[in-house]
Amino acid sequence: MAISLDIARDNPNAQTVTVPAAALQPGEDKPTLIGLSREELGEALGTIGVPQKQWRMRASQLWHWFYVRGVSDFAQMTNIAKDLRQKLDDAFTIARPEIVSEQISVDGTRKWLFRFPARGAGRPVEVETVYIPEEGRGTLCVSSQVGCTLTCTFCHTGTQKMVRNLTAEEILSQILIARDRLGDFPNADTPQGAIVPSEGRLVTNIVMMGMGEPLYNFDNVKKALLIASDGDGLSLSKRRITLSTSGVVPEIFRTGDEIGCMLAISLHAVNDELRDVLVPINKKWNLKALLDACRNYPGLSNAKRITFEYVMLKGINDSNQDALDLVRLLKGIPAKINLIPFNPWPGTDYECSDWERIEEFADIVNRAGYASPIRTPRGRDIFAACGQLKSASERMRKKERDAMAAQG
Ligand code: SAH
Ligand code: SF4
């Protein structure tokens, strides 16, 4: 059965693609090998009788099939003997999770809704992932959680209760399936008419800017990003992986030290009074604590700057004084400033600043030496722009979970 879900809102030209049935088969209930470290892979092989002296070699072989060739079926692993392939298939899965829908914006942006198993949350969960093609690059916006514990008042995800953290496998799977669907693996075909970079790889950049707060799921995000940047696998440069946080101060140093990716901070306000409202985590770690953590970000230099994201909200944070304060606040920190036109969602009271206001604000920021700071909204017609992601997944109440368990 093929499922498609049409949630394109404003633009009749946006398409919803029906995904072929074969791509929809969820993995059976076997443990996955995707998202394991090489050591864990070796140990998993030990459980099906592979002698320890072969673990390293076998783990490298599998790694290559998973992350360079993009294979999601053991049968395709031609340099592994048939009986071992069979044993692997009996014990483990490397199948992709289910794709519920794929929507394509008139500007080429793609949004997928993926379904992952319940893992204790009661029922299967759904998350969104967005692909943004540009000249010379393709950026994948990856989710780290289903819902979010935080409640930033301008963010649609913030209205969805936190359901659960995604596992390292689920974070990586978003990259793997996007590459499947775009034909971004060796010998794969890109769908006809797809808007993608004209040469080179189709997914060149990863931003952890989908649903959820990545630093509240540090271990899984770290594991996934270390695999994504592994030079013998997906091989994405750490300079092209950006993690965005609302300001989980205690984890910021570790992000640079243990993951080594680029950092983006959802700033959005230049004083604590307003930031307490827009980004409530500010009540726990205020601007001073946040900016101190930024100054200490490992590897920070003019060649490795922190991106400060600033959503433009009409009449709230968009005055010339705010722009001047922004520049003053960031003085001395190697920074890029990214002004994000507010993307509206059903039920929000905020409005996007007028275009002239954004330009005047940007001029002040520009004159202080920050280049081209306005982020072009993408995929608005399919509701895929920053802060518009929200899935229908809800945590089941305990009573419902118990009832489901009782049904077997
Ligand atoms: N939780 C993380 C990452 C996900 S949000 C964080 O908050 O940083 C990615 C970016 O989109 C953040 O800067 C967020 O503040 C911004 N954003 C959220 N809602 C938005 C909206 N409606 N319009 C524009 N940007 C939004
Ligand atoms: Fe969560 Fe980020 Fe949205 Fe805030 S902006 S509610 S931290 S996803």
Side-chain angles (χ1 to χ4, degrees):
M1 184 181 57
I3 309 167
S4 73
L5 187 83
D6 191 352
I7 47 172
R9 289 169 213 237
D10 323 339
N11 197 318
N13 297 325
Q15 308 173 38
T16 299
V17 171
T18 302
V19 180
L24 288 166
Q25 297 310 317
E28 297 141 62
D29 234 5
K30 294 181 277 191
T32 181
L33 295 182
I34 303 295
L36 301 189
S37 65
R38 283 191 177 76
E39 294 69 39
E40 289 168 335
L41 254 183
E43 282 160 24
L45 290 168
T47 65
I48 57 165
V50 174
Q52 191 165 1
K53 59 179 190 312
Q54 286 185 19
W55 287 2
R56 262 181 77 150
M57 180 271 287
R58 292 287 180 209
S60 291
Q61 266 179 335
L62 290 174
W63 198 269
H64 183 84
W65 285 112
F66 300 164
Y67 302 121
V68 176
R69 307 292 288 271
V71 157
S72 53
D73 181 356
F74 293 110
Q76 290 171 279
M77 301 182 172
T78 43
N79 62 352
I80 296 179
K82 243 186 169 161
D83 60 331
L84 179 55
R85 285 189 330 227
Q86 189 57 52
K87 275 193 197 159
L88 284 164
D89 195 36
D90 290 342
F92 305 110
T93 179
I94 52 170
R96 302 282 194 253
E98 184 179 348
I99 304 171
V100 182
S101 70
E102 176 176 77
Q103 288 176 271
I104 307 173
S105 158
V106 285
D107 69 15
T109 300
R110 283 167 190 248
K111 180 170 83 171
W112 293 281
L113 183 67
F114 297 130
R115 184 173 296 145
F116 298 119
R119 300 195 210 280
R123 36 169 103 91
V125 296
E126 290 173 352
V127 298
E128 295 185 315
T129 305
V130 176
Y131 175 69
I132 307 146
E134 288 169 280
E135 197 38 55
R137 70 155 110 182
T139 303
L140 196 68
C141 181
V142 171
S143 293
S144 56
Q145 298 182 312
V146 187
C148 190
T149 51
L150 301 170
T151 51
C152 304
T153 46
F154 54 87
C155 172
H156 204 201
T157 312
T159 65
Q160 180 180 355
K161 284 214 178 75
M162 167 72 173
V163 181
R164 69 168 173 84
N165 281 333
L166 294 179
T167 63
E169 178 222 352
E170 291 164 340
I171 295 167
L172 273 171
S173 290
Q174 296 173 62
I175 306 176
L176 296 173
I177 312 188
R179 293 190 64 191
D180 283 349
R181 299 293 304 158
L182 293 166
D184 192 25
F185 281 117
N187 307 323
D189 292 324
T190 300
Q192 265 204 338
I195 300 177
V196 291
S198 48
E199 50 185 356
R201 287 172 63 167
L202 308 186
V203 176
T204 56
N205 292 54
I206 301 289
V207 291
M208 295 303 299
M209 294 186 189
M211 297 165 63
E213 168 48 61
L215 295 190
Y216 275 155
N217 186 15
F218 188 89
D219 291 343
N220 290 324
V221 167
K222 171 182 165 182
K223 207 167 172 198
L225 293 184
L226 290 181
I227 293 177
S229 58
D230 184 284
D232 293 323
L234 289 164
S235 240
L236 285 148
S237 153
K238 289 182 181 182
R239 308 295 298 248
R240 288 172 172 268
I241 300 178
T242 302
L243 183 150
S244 176
T245 179
S246 56
V248 183
V249 166
E251 307 293 355
I252 288 181
F253 186 85
R254 292 179 68 199
T255 303
D257 193 42
E258 298 176 29
I259 307 176
C261 60
M262 306 298 281
L263 182 69
I265 300 285
S266 292
L267 193 67
H268 309 317
V270 287
N271 59 67
D272 283 321
E273 201 186 343
L274 180 59
R275 197 163 190 272
D276 280 353
V277 176
L278 298 181
V279 190
I281 200 176
N282 195 69
K283 291 188 225 158
K284 202 161 183 181
W285 295 291
N286 65 14
L287 277 169
K288 182 177 180 315
L290 177 60
L291 295 174
D292 281 348
C294 289
R295 284 189 191 89
N296 292 322
Y297 193 67
L300 190 61
S301 69
N302 281 339
K304 193 178 176 194
R305 295 166 189 254
I306 296 177
T307 301
F308 288 88
E309 299 161 282
Y310 194 93
V311 64
M312 298 299 297
L313 301 168
K314 188 176 191 164
I316 305 277
N317 65 354
D318 61 352
S319 70
N320 286 352
Q321 190 58 50
D322 287 315
L324 292 165
D325 288 349
L326 175 61
V327 167
R328 189 182 41 79
L329 201 65
L330 300 185
K331 213 165 172 225
I333 304 178
K336 287 187 253 185
I337 295 176
N338 220 198
L339 303 178
I340 317 176
F342 170 66
N343 294 306
W345 37 270
T348 180
D349 290 334
Y350 292 110
E351 286 177 73
C352 183
S353 309
D354 295 333
W355 198 249
E356 300 76 55
R357 183 87 295 273
I358 299 182
E359 286 195 326
E360 207 174 320
F361 195 103
D363 278 348
I364 296 175
V365 169
N366 256 313
R367 281 200 295 274
Y370 299 95
S372 51
I374 307 175
R375 186 186 292 175
T376 321
R378 298 289 305 268
R380 274 186 170 180
D381 55 338
I382 55 165
F383 230 61
C386 295
Q388 292 187 317
L389 306 185
K390 177 179 177 174
S391 68
S393 296
E394 284 173 34
R395 178 174 277 279
M396 273 172 137
R397 282 195 293 273
K398 182 161 184 326
K399 231 163 92 187
E400 289 176 289
R401 281 205 297 272
D402 291 347
M404 210 164 153
Q407 283 169 17

